[in-house]
Amino acid sequence: MDDMTHQLAKNPVHLGLGATAEVEPAITGMEWYAGYIERHKTDGNEGRLVAEHTFSEPWDSWEMHPEGSELVYCIRGEIDLIQEVPGTTRRIKLRSGEYAINEPGVWHTADVTESCTVLFITSGLGTQHRQRT
């Protein structure tokens, strides 16, 4: 790999104002996201984080993006996206090639029964997390 190529699973991309795209540093944990928001806060809710993650276990937390929608695209395997919507909790099974959208303000988490790889395109401004019980 040279300086012109990158692995999305390692280095996410920020899509910003003016149709820009910037390679981000490698994700190091949940604290990385606070740094991402700080780096790109001037883009407001129009900035988008594009990231790829591979999961082999259920998520241990819920998250919610108050400022914009999030695209969740299953690249490989399958994942159960769980969304809390007014009055109910809905479960959406995503298989390879399928996607769903987390609308702004919808708390979501996921169950994984087999290894899967998922692409996220997220408006991350104001993202909140809470422990899954």
Side-chain angles (χ1 to χ4, degrees), residues 9 52-57 59 76 112 115-120:
E52 176 187 310
H53 296 285
T54 297
F55 303 100
S56 57
E57 302 199 7
W59 297 4
R76 181 188 58 78
V112 178
S115 180
C116 64
T117 300
V118 181
L119 175 78
F120 299 91

Side-chain angles (χ1 to χ4, degrees), residues 1-2 5-14 22-29 32-33 36 39 49-54 75 117-119:
M1 202 162 52
D2 60 34
T5 62
H6 307 279
Q7 294 179 349
L8 192 57
K10 185 181 229 180
N11 294 97
V13 173
H14 173 74
E22 296 178 49
V23 177
E24 289 295 306
I27 295 176
T28 55
W32 180 93
Y33 291 94
Y36 167 78
R39 286 190 298 279
L49 174 64
V50 181
E52 176 187 310
H53 296 285
T54 297
I75 297 171
T117 300
V118 181
L119 175 78

Side-chain angles (χ1 to χ4, degrees), residues 25-26 48 113 119:
R48 297 286 188 270
T113 54
L119 175 78

Side-chain angles (χ1 to χ4, degrees), residues 13-132:
V13 173
H14 173 74
L15 302 178
L17 299 179
T20 60
E22 296 178 49
V23 177
E24 289 295 306
I27 295 176
T28 55
M30 291 306 286
E31 70 283 352
W32 180 93
Y33 291 94
Y36 167 78
I37 295 299
E38 184 62 29
R39 286 190 298 279
H40 300 290
K41 65 184 176 187
T42 58
D43 286 350
N45 61 3
E46 294 302 318
R48 297 286 188 270
L49 174 64
V50 181
E52 176 187 310
H53 296 285
T54 297
F55 303 100
S56 57
E57 302 199 7
W59 297 4
D60 62 1
S61 64
W62 290 83
E63 70 174 13
M64 184 268 291
H65 313 289
E67 300 295 327
S69 298
E70 175 181 55
L71 175 79
V72 181
Y73 175 74
C74 184
I75 297 171
R76 181 188 58 78
E78 65 180 50
I79 187 169
D80 288 341
L81 180 65
I82 304 163
Q83 299 175 331
E84 281 186 353
V85 294
T88 191
T89 299
R90 74 176 153 222
R91 184 176 288 265
I92 304 165
K93 182 171 290 298
L94 298 175
R95 295 175 184 89
S96 296
E98 297 178 335
Y99 71 90
I101 295 173
N102 291 317
E103 296 294 337
V106 170
W107 283 95
H108 53 279
T109 190
D111 283 339
V112 178
T113 54
E114 64 178 66
S115 180
C116 64
T117 300
V118 181
L119 175 78
F120 299 91
I121 303 175
T122 308
S123 176
L125 190 65
T127 294
Q128 299 173 31
H129 294 92
R130 69 175 197 226
Q131 197 63 29
R132 187 172 177 187

